Amino acid sequence: MNLKWCYQGFVAYAPRTQPIDHNVSVVATAKVNKYLNVNFTLLGVYDADIVKKFQLSEGLAVGFLFTL
């Protein structure tokens, strides 16, 4: 199993203080067996200028491998 995560925070260069924008990404990859891989992705974004809530996006991918 492989797990990668990343956090980014953005601060606006403005005359008055702005809230920090947050971006979080998590990717988990696992090899189930000889032929099957699974990948799960989670993305989270918080931008107070657009929406006052934390936004999430999830994805699940399954890969099948065989050689001829």
Side-chain angles (χ1 to χ4, degrees), residues 41-60:
T41 304
L42 178 67
L43 301 173
V45 175
Y46 177 75
D47 188 353
D49 298 332
I50 298 173
V51 177
K52 299 292 182 191
K53 295 181 181 177
F54 195 76
Q55 302 173 47
L56 289 176
S57 172
E58 299 130 3
L60 179 66

Side-chain angles (χ1 to χ4, degrees), residues 7 11 15 26-28 31-34 37 41 45 51-52 60:
Y7 169 79
V11 178
V26 177
V27 178
K31 186 172 180 91
V32 177
N33 58 25
K34 183 177 168 183
N37 289 340
T41 304
V45 175
V51 177
K52 299 292 182 191
L60 179 66

